[in-house]
Amino acid sequence: MIEATSKILEFIPKEAGVTRIEYEGSNIAIYSKKPSILINHGYLMTEIALKIKKRVISRSEPSERLDTEISKKKIDDIMNGISAPIHKFFDPAKGEVTLYLEKNISQSVMPALSLEIISQTNWFPIFRRYFSPFSKTITLLHGNLTKWEKERRQILLSLGDRVFREPINPSTNISLTALGGAEEVGRSCYLLSTSETKILIDFGLKPGFKKKIQSHPRLDITTLNIDELDAIVLTHAHLDHSGLIPFVFKHGFKGVVYMTEPTLPLVTLLLQDLIDVAERNGEIPPYNHFDIRTMINHTIPLKYGQVVDISPDMKLTFQNAGHILGSALAHIHITDGVHNILFTGDFKYGETSLLDSAYSNFSRLETVVMESTYGGPTDITPSKSQSENMLLQSILKSLNKNGKVLMPVPAVGRSQEVLMILDRFIKQNLLPDVPIYLDGMIEESTSIHVSFINYLSSKLRASYTNEGLNPFSSDHFINVNGYEGRQEVLSEGPCIILATSGMMEGGPVLEYFRNFAENENNSLIFVSYQVAGTLGRRILDGLENVIIPSKDKMLSLNVHANISRLSGFSGHSDRNQLMAYIKKISRSTKNIYTVHGEASKSLSLAKSIKEKYRINAAPLKITETISLS
Ligand code: ZN
């Protein structure tokens, strides 16, 4: 560090008033009294980064920052006539202020505005677009930044020490162990180890199972000591990838979790709901709200394409996975290019209404760990237009008979996709003028989506950032809350209801289903993947008599409602898309392990890859360890 400090100081003009240089997470932070001087010197920061081969950031010395109330007024003055900030959130641990703006501002004026705000206040602005209604989860997360400033600063500093430690063991033994999400869908978790570093990719739970041995990742088979764990890398917010991360913190994990920026509010929302659902069902949740807060404080949010050192021998880069908002392919580069490994997480190699297709431009991949949810030979999903037509016909079938339509949807991903399609149907007069009720966390999840509109598809960005319209709003959408609201919906005429949870494992969807299932004029439409063992999957597989809890007793229902499954809205690649992705990366890839699929599908996909592209491919088995070096 001393060497790096003197190299940095050579470059910096004296008038900037540098006070200290620190490792902060995977960055080197230069604190100064007048950071605007550094920013104003054009390529200075880039030059320093190139010289010392580390990411360098500029920070203002906290004592030199203007009081937040005065800063708010100054910022309002600077932004006056350009775009009013509706919300201003200060992060004292980093000296940043996030501004949610009424109107979009062009990229070309941003540098000058930033510089003006920094020179007048010593706070670094981050510009985001404001949409109404504003997410409560994002407000809560920003509140956390101020409240836990000291703790977060400490976490960032100790992370710096950890990431830039002198390597103890430079040998290159690299191994991969499947602790979950192998020959199954659920509890995704892979341990990647070198002699120097140990990280987990995802730490999810398996829905539909109560016993720990079936629902938790198999930490019991490793000798992994939680103190040796450097980091957790989270590919996306869904609970089968994220659901038990706070549990690791509950058991003493002191490291950090890397995830993309939008994943943090989405995962916070889903984890909090997991606790609430467990408590409502009279179960003991695996962790509490304090453990979620600990996770939040230990989270390092990243952008797509940002390369970060996560230990002395590993660099991480996230790229768009096209699955849900913020979903990421995790690329890990080990020991200066000795080994490149890609974890696809859940990914979609194809456009959806919501997101662009998954990134595929990798120059070298020694190992790919790839999902195979739809890896079976017959897992070919209909095209987007066919799927939309099938959805329309399934809905009309019930509405024409004065029935109701119930769609169990996960709060994150499919709900927003379906909302946009339904809105379009109504605008095109394809659907009658019926109310569309949204229940569960759909409204909040949708607010998070619009706060991160830059992560949505290029088409959506182009049409909505400028106009300032919320792409998910419509006069036909009505949010429902509480028991009485639901009873009102049920007592009324034909309608469409979107409710969580997507696999019918709990949540408001069950309340509708109880009053709904026995009427043959009604329809139950599934648009997302149903994990084996969940109620949704059992109904899809033909279960006619369903027993579900109702208040204090168990209720037996004979299902007469129409059941349809529409796989074309999935956020997963179908078999053809999985094979097309392999084709795209085949020249740069050496070994592929298929995961996150039922055993027969993971095996079938691996066999086809081997036959067609002559790449080593095999399904990863649960608890199996593979040597990659
Ligand atoms: Zn997922």
Side-chain angles (χ1 to χ4, degrees):
M1 185 68 182
I2 296 163
E3 200 193 332
T5 306
S6 53
K7 267 189 191 165
I8 291 169
L9 286 174
E10 277 172 30
F11 280 83
I12 297 179
K14 286 226 162 32
E15 61 271 29
V18 171
T19 49
R20 59 201 152 111
I21 295 172
E22 290 177 348
Y23 284 131
E24 182 195 279
S26 56
N27 304 314
I28 291 185
I30 305 173
Y31 280 81
S32 62
K33 290 181 180 169
K34 287 186 180 159
S36 53
I37 290 178
L38 296 183
I39 306 296
N40 204 17
H41 264 72
Y43 295 107
L44 185 65
M45 300 299 275
T46 322
E47 266 177 51
I48 297 174
L50 285 171
K51 190 86 184 163
I52 61 166
K53 297 192 176 63
K54 298 270 180 288
R55 191 160 177 262
V56 184
I57 47 176
S58 172
R59 296 259 186 256
S60 56
E61 187 56 42
S63 60
E64 305 293 315
R65 289 175 201 154
L66 211 56
D67 167 80
T68 53
E69 287 310 312
I70 304 171
S71 297
K72 281 181 186 173
K73 287 197 188 88
K74 292 253 181 208
I75 292 169
D76 280 339
D77 289 344
I78 295 167
M79 299 301 292
N80 189 20
I82 302 167
S83 179
I86 309 289
H87 290 304
K88 306 177 193 77
F89 295 109
F90 291 84
D91 176 0
K94 292 184 174 173
E96 292 171 346
V97 54
T98 307
L99 306 173
Y100 288 87
L101 304 176
E102 171 201 34
K103 281 192 303 206
N104 208 34
I105 52 171
S106 87
Q107 294 283 338
S108 59
V109 300
M110 263 185 213
L113 279 175
S114 279
L115 188 62
E116 191 58 30
I117 292 173
I118 298 167
S119 45
Q120 288 204 30
T121 67
N122 267 348
W123 289 93
F124 282 69
I126 296 169
F127 300 110
R128 294 228 170 104
R129 182 77 177 74
Y130 169 86
F131 285 97
S132 172
F134 194 71
S135 157
K136 295 185 191 84
T137 317
I138 292 178
T139 307
L140 177 139
L141 286 170
H142 279 301
N144 233 46
L145 297 181
T146 316
K147 204 165 165 195
W148 304 103
E149 176 201 350
K150 286 206 178 79
E151 193 181 337
R152 286 184 56 254
R153 261 212 67 67
Q154 213 40 57
I155 292 164
L156 287 172
L157 289 175
S158 61
L159 173 65
D161 291 342
R162 230 171 143 144
V163 168
F164 295 113
R165 67 183 182 250
E166 278 301 314
I168 302 163
N169 199 338
S171 95
T172 53
N173 290 332
I174 306 165
S175 70
L176 171 71
T177 306
L179 300 177
E183 301 189 297
E184 62 183 344
V185 175
R187 62 164 165 181
S188 280
C189 182
Y190 314 97
L191 169 65
L192 181 65
S193 310
T194 65
S195 319
E196 182 63 43
T197 308
K198 288 181 172 48
I199 62 165
L200 291 173
I201 289 85
D202 291 344
F203 202 80
L205 59 76
K206 187 163 180 170
F209 292 88
K210 296 278 176 253
K211 282 189 192 152
K212 231 175 165 179
I213 191 99
Q214 292 166 314
S215 63
H216 283 43
R218 296 289 307 275
L219 273 185
D220 59 295
I221 62 125
T222 72
T223 51
L224 179 74
N225 181 337
I226 220 112
D227 293 333
E228 298 171 322
L229 187 62
D230 286 274
I232 300 175
V233 171
L234 175 61
T235 58
H236 67 287
H238 280 154
L239 292 175
D240 57 328
H241 296 257
S242 67
L244 288 163
I245 293 176
F247 179 83
V248 190
F249 283 101
K250 182 179 169 181
H251 286 83
F253 178 49
K254 301 264 187 310
V256 295
V257 190
Y258 294 96
M259 60 183 84
T260 63
E261 292 172 321
T263 301
L264 178 58
L266 289 177
V267 80
T268 303
L269 176 70
L270 296 181
L271 294 171
Q272 284 176 333
D273 183 65
L274 182 143
I275 294 182
D276 297 345
V277 169
E279 283 172 349
R280 270 203 304 275
N281 293 342
E283 293 160 8
I284 301 167
Y287 44 81
N288 57 30
H289 288 284
F290 175 82
D291 302 313
I292 297 181
R293 201 206 73 207
T294 310
M295 181 203 81
I296 294 168
N297 285 344
H298 285 78
T299 292
I300 310 287
L302 301 177
K303 291 179 174 41
Y304 290 141
Q306 189 179 337
V307 185
V308 289
D309 289 283
I310 58 173
S311 76
D313 64 350
M314 280 191 200
K315 287 185 202 302
L316 165 73
T317 317
F318 284 133
Q319 299 289 1
N320 170 38
H323 170 63
I324 59 167
L325 172 68
S327 61
L329 311 165
H331 177 272
I332 294 158
H333 175 96
I334 303 171
T335 323
D336 281 336
V338 166
H339 203 97
N340 291 278
I341 175 165
L342 179 73
F343 291 87
T344 66
D346 295 353
F347 79 107
K348 175 92 169 176
Y349 193 46
E351 250 180 56
T352 59
S353 306
L354 210 57
L355 301 168
D356 291 334
S357 182
Y359 178 91
S360 59
N361 211 2
F362 295 100
S363 54
R364 228 183 81 198
L365 296 169
E366 277 68 28
T367 304
V368 175
V369 180
M370 182 184 199
E371 71 130 319
S372 54
T373 318
Y374 291 108
T378 57
D379 291 334
I380 312 294
T381 50
S383 72
K384 219 164 144 239
S385 61
Q386 280 171 321
S387 307
E388 289 184 7
N389 193 37
M390 282 154 75
L391 173 66
L392 182 64
Q393 298 313 322
S394 305
I395 294 174
L396 287 175
K397 199 167 163 183
S398 277
L399 296 186
N400 290 343
K401 286 190 277 187
N402 267 341
K404 294 185 173 70
V405 175
L406 177 60
M407 299 172 73
V409 282
V412 176
R414 283 332 90 200
S415 345
Q416 288 72 34
E417 182 92 18
V418 171
L419 284 181
M420 290 174 69
I421 295 166
L422 293 179
D423 183 42
R424 183 152 39 81
F425 284 168
I426 291 179
K427 282 182 183 146
Q428 293 170 345
N429 288 323
L430 298 170
L431 267 186
D433 203 357
V434 294
I436 299 168
Y437 295 108
L438 315 179
D439 202 342
M441 298 171 293
I442 299 171
E443 185 188 21
E444 175 57 17
S445 163
T446 305
S447 296
I448 297 172
H449 277 71
V450 288
S451 298
F452 288 95
I453 202 147
N454 282 342
Y455 280 79
L456 298 178
S457 74
S458 32
K459 276 185 202 153
L460 271 179
R461 281 200 311 265
S463 51
Y464 290 95
T465 36
N466 293 331
E467 293 168 27
L469 296 169
N470 180 336
F472 308 104
S473 70
S474 158
D475 293 343
H476 290 86
F477 300 157
I478 303 163
N479 289 298
V480 186
N481 280 311
Y483 177 79
E484 270 155 33
R486 282 168 207 139
Q487 292 310 309
E488 219 169 283
V489 169
L490 285 161
S491 67
E492 287 171 6
C495 63
I496 301 168
I497 306 161
L498 271 69
T500 55
S501 78
M503 299 188 201
M504 301 185 71
E505 281 296 284
V509 71
L510 291 183
E511 220 167 299
Y512 294 107
F513 183 70
R514 271 197 286 275
N515 292 279
F516 187 94
E518 298 196 316
N519 184 339
E520 60 184 29
N521 293 333
N522 293 339
S523 284
L524 184 65
I525 304 176
F526 290 95
V527 286
S528 63
Y529 184 80
Q530 303 295 307
V531 170
T534 59
L535 178 60
R537 175 64 172 266
R538 285 183 285 137
I539 293 172
L540 263 185
D541 287 345
L543 181 73
E544 283 174 1
N545 186 263
V546 176
I547 296 172
I548 55 170
S550 174
K551 288 188 184 144
D552 305 329
K553 57 177 195 291
M554 295 308 276
L555 194 70
S556 164
L557 295 170
N558 291 315
V559 183
H560 296 303
N562 291 297
I563 312 288
S564 9
R565 174 216 309 250
L566 301 173
S567 55
F569 297 106
S570 173
H572 294 274
S573 306
D574 76 352
R575 162 77 170 217
N576 288 342
Q577 291 165 332
L578 289 167
M579 290 302 280
Y581 194 73
I582 300 291
K583 188 179 177 189
K584 181 79 208 300
I585 60 170
S586 60
R587 251 182 279 158
S588 50
T589 302
K590 286 194 180 143
N591 292 293
I592 297 178
Y593 295 101
T594 52
V595 296
H596 197 287
E598 288 164 18
S600 64
K601 297 183 191 263
S602 299
L603 181 64
S604 160
L605 181 67
K607 268 185 164 176
S608 302
I609 295 171
K610 234 174 157 171
E611 278 165 25
K612 200 159 179 193
Y613 298 112
R614 309 265 164 230
I615 299 172
N616 282 332
L620 202 57
K621 295 184 171 58
I622 184 92
T623 72
E624 183 182 23
T625 296
I626 308 252
S627 171
L628 303 179
S629 47

